[in-house]
Amino acid sequence: MTAPANAFEAPAKVELTAEQATDALHKTIELLKLPENVAKMDSAKAQMAAQPDNVMLLMMMVLPVATSVLAPILMEFKFPADQGGLMMFMSAVTKHKGDSVIAGLGKEMRSAFVPESLEQVVNAMLSGGGM
């Protein structure tokens, strides 16, 4: 992916076919299940345990760790290897929510780093505001 020309330019939008979304989700889940990554995610989630419904803690504590863990997958599928890229990836996958396999894989992936108490908030963010 080519970097934006300046800091105010949005990165190019990345679309995934259903096949690409399925492939990316399988790879993402596999990566998240590696013991060292489970430990990283558990440590990050523990930092927000006292306030599990605080979306700002999710954004500041957990998503940066998830981004670093998933950076190779993000880059493979041409997303920026940053928190914005992770959100773009999750949004691109959400576009296939009508596919029950992709919806299930997406839910499994998100459960690795999005607390159940924030699931609706994150889904609303990814779908443009509607819950």
Side-chain angles (χ1 to χ4, degrees):
M1 165 168 270
T2 307
N6 65 59
F8 301 105
E9 185 179 327
K13 187 173 184 177
V14 179
E15 299 283 340
L16 295 176
T17 65
E19 184 177 311
Q20 289 171 320
T22 302
D23 184 36
L25 285 167
H26 279 295
K27 290 178 178 183
T28 298
I29 292 165
E30 184 178 312
L31 194 57
L32 287 166
K33 286 184 177 180
L34 292 175
E36 62 270 23
N37 293 332
V38 169
K40 288 177 188 176
M41 294 309 309
D42 285 350
S43 176
K45 288 189 291 187
Q47 293 181 44
M48 65 176 291
Q51 297 180 49
D53 58 347
N54 186 330
V55 74
M56 291 308 295
L57 283 179
L58 174 72
M59 302 297 271
M60 293 185 310
M61 303 291 195
V62 179
L63 289 186
V65 175
T67 300
S68 70
V69 167
L70 299 176
I73 306 298
L74 296 174
M75 291 187 300
E76 178 181 345
F77 288 91
K78 310 297 186 228
F79 292 93
D82 58 22
Q83 198 164 324
L86 176 60
M87 297 303 286
M88 287 172 58
F89 170 67
M90 290 170 50
S91 182
V93 167
T94 301
K95 294 212 182 337
H96 298 285
K97 64 184 174 189
D99 181 312
S100 62
V101 171
I102 292 174
L105 291 169
K107 185 174 177 70
E108 182 178 352
M109 174 198 64
R110 286 188 307 277
S111 72
F113 52 88
V114 177
E116 193 174 318
S117 60
L118 290 175
E119 191 173 316
Q120 283 191 322
V121 173
V122 171
N123 287 342
M125 289 168 50
L126 298 175
S127 64
M131 286 223 204

